[in-house]
Amino acid sequence: TYTTDTKSRGENKQTIENLYRLSVDIKKIRRLKEWVLLQDVAYVKEVAGILQEMGANETAVANILERCPEAILHPPAEINCQRALWQLVCQNEKQLIKLVEQFPESFFATRYHENQKANILFFQELGLKNNIITRFLTSAPNIFYNPVEKNRNVIETLQRNYLNLGGSDANMKIWILKLLSQNPFILLNTSTAIQESLDFLQKNDFTDHEVLQLLSKLKGFIFQLTPTTMQKSMLFSKNVFKCSDRELKQLVLKCPALLYYSVPVLEERLEALLKEGISVEQIRETPMVLELTTQIVQYRIKKLSALGYDIKSGTLESLNGTKKDFEANYGKIQSKKERPIFNPVAPLHVED
């Protein structure tokens, strides 16, 4: 009897045999995406053939199909279209197959083909280098599914605001390209949402120059926030640090994380610092410490304590920065501690 339940039909034996011949780990597919093996139509041989044509060896083909088994459900014509599309931004087939091996899910997302193509051409016109566009294709494929007009509107909104905020025509292109390469997900926002975020900052007395400064520091992540969440975070910081609106603004400029992180995140990080015996005053002096996760802060405090460095009486600057910055600071404190009190080879000045 006919049923719409695919599972009751059992696995497609032909699919299993074809995958087996390609040394694909079928148990792995059963565990992760068994539904693929239940489909009536699959193009195992054809897909493997295209991948081999592109330069993938037997092991690479098996790995690709294990990681993205749904690839075998795409007709060969669809995959060839995607191949031609990615070739617009890849130097050669060698680079293309390397990307497919690393990001099969992105390559086999063959939906919205016309939108993908129009967006690639738009990004090229905009001046984005092909290596940046390939990074977008692999890490942020969703932005290519938008109609090109939507992405164009977002870019135009950013350009218009950049000029309104006092940015120069000469620097605008560089600014936009840098912002996009740092955070392509800006394009998933609407023009209205972007405008609302910028209006919120201006209503809170940030000057045009300061708004531009925040946009650059936050790498466009500000557009993933809403005026409501920003308002809550600022109010939380104002209450914690017991400061005026003007002082709060200076703190936000010093540490945009106060604007970007939600209240629960800020609360958790603040509590962890206070538990370590650090005062609110110390945090206010060095608010950038709130950019670090609780785990990182605890790890760094532990390392510094082992050297006899008392974080409670010292500055929090030694906790700050990237992993590289911290290691450099830690090294300085360590060498200072290990340095002898006197130089054993220096002559002693003894009075006669």
Side-chain angles (χ1 to χ4, degrees), residues 74-92:
H74 293 288
E78 247 181 48
I79 293 173
N80 278 323
C81 279
Q82 195 74 342
R83 178 182 174 180
L85 193 69
W86 281 44
Q87 277 173 329
L88 293 172
V89 287
C90 286
Q91 294 167 357
N92 47 43

Side-chain angles (χ1 to χ4, degrees), residues 27 36 43 115 137 158 165 197 203 239 244 249 340 342:
K27 282 182 187 171
V36 171
Y43 305 92
N115 284 359
L137 278 169
L158 289 168
L165 291 166
S197 294
K203 279 174 194 164
N239 291 334
S244 66
K249 197 179 82 163
F342 68 95

Side-chain angles (χ1 to χ4, degrees), residues 143-158:
I143 66 171
F144 293 88
Y145 305 159
N146 289 337
V148 73
E149 295 74 27
K150 194 230 173 241
N151 285 342
R152 201 185 296 276
N153 283 342
V154 169
I155 297 294
E156 283 169 1
T157 302
L158 289 168

Side-chain angles (χ1 to χ4, degrees), residues 269-284:
R269 292 182 181 186
L270 191 81
E271 274 174 28
L273 289 164
L274 296 176
K275 270 182 193 168
E276 297 289 345
I278 292 163
S279 68
V280 171
E281 196 49 49
Q282 279 177 294
I283 300 165
R284 183 174 167 169

Side-chain angles (χ1 to χ4, degrees), residues 237-350:
S237 298
K238 189 179 178 181
N239 291 334
V240 164
F241 298 120
K242 298 181 172 52
C243 56
S244 66
D245 287 345
R246 195 178 168 198
E247 287 168 329
L248 176 65
K249 197 179 82 163
Q250 290 312 310
L251 279 173
V252 168
L253 288 169
K254 202 173 174 184
C255 174
L258 296 176
L259 191 69
Y260 178 69
Y261 289 117
S262 66
V263 171
V265 170
L266 290 172
E267 217 162 19
E268 183 211 335
R269 292 182 181 186
L270 191 81
E271 274 174 28
L273 289 164
L274 296 176
K275 270 182 193 168
E276 297 289 345
I278 292 163
S279 68
V280 171
E281 196 49 49
Q282 279 177 294
I283 300 165
R284 183 174 167 169
E285 284 301 310
T286 316
M288 294 79 74
V289 78
L290 291 167
E291 291 173 0
L292 305 168
T293 65
T294 301
Q295 289 80 0
I296 290 172
V297 165
Q298 286 167 342
Y299 166 77
R300 291 182 181 184
I301 289 174
K302 201 175 174 183
K303 277 198 85 171
L304 290 169
S305 297
L307 289 180
Y309 184 89
D310 185 11
I311 202 78
K312 285 173 268 187
S313 56
T315 169
L316 299 186
E317 286 294 339
S318 48
L319 284 179
N320 262 347
T322 61
K323 187 181 178 183
K324 195 178 173 183
D325 296 334
F326 173 73
E327 293 300 339
N329 277 332
Y330 177 78
K332 281 178 196 168
I333 295 166
Q334 192 175 33
S335 61
K336 202 173 177 183
K337 187 176 182 286
E338 289 168 358
R339 199 180 298 145
I341 295 164
F342 68 95
N343 186 345
V345 294
L348 290 174
H349 298 287
V350 184

Side-chain angles (χ1 to χ4, degrees), residues 3-55:
T3 171
T4 52
D5 181 6
T6 51
K7 202 157 186 174
S8 68
R9 294 203 297 261
E11 290 176 350
N12 183 327
K13 284 178 186 171
Q14 189 65 55
T15 301
I16 302 288
E17 277 173 32
N18 289 337
L19 288 170
Y20 184 74
R21 285 195 193 103
L22 292 166
S23 307
V24 173
D25 184 345
I26 294 156
K27 282 182 187 171
K28 194 174 178 182
I29 296 177
R30 279 194 185 112
R31 195 171 64 249
L32 300 173
K33 292 181 180 175
E34 193 189 21
W35 59 272
V36 171
L37 304 173
L38 308 175
Q39 307 307 310
D40 285 340
V41 180
Y43 305 92
V44 182
K45 287 180 183 173
E46 295 86 342
V47 172
I50 293 170
L51 291 171
Q52 284 161 347
E53 236 176 72
M54 287 159 70

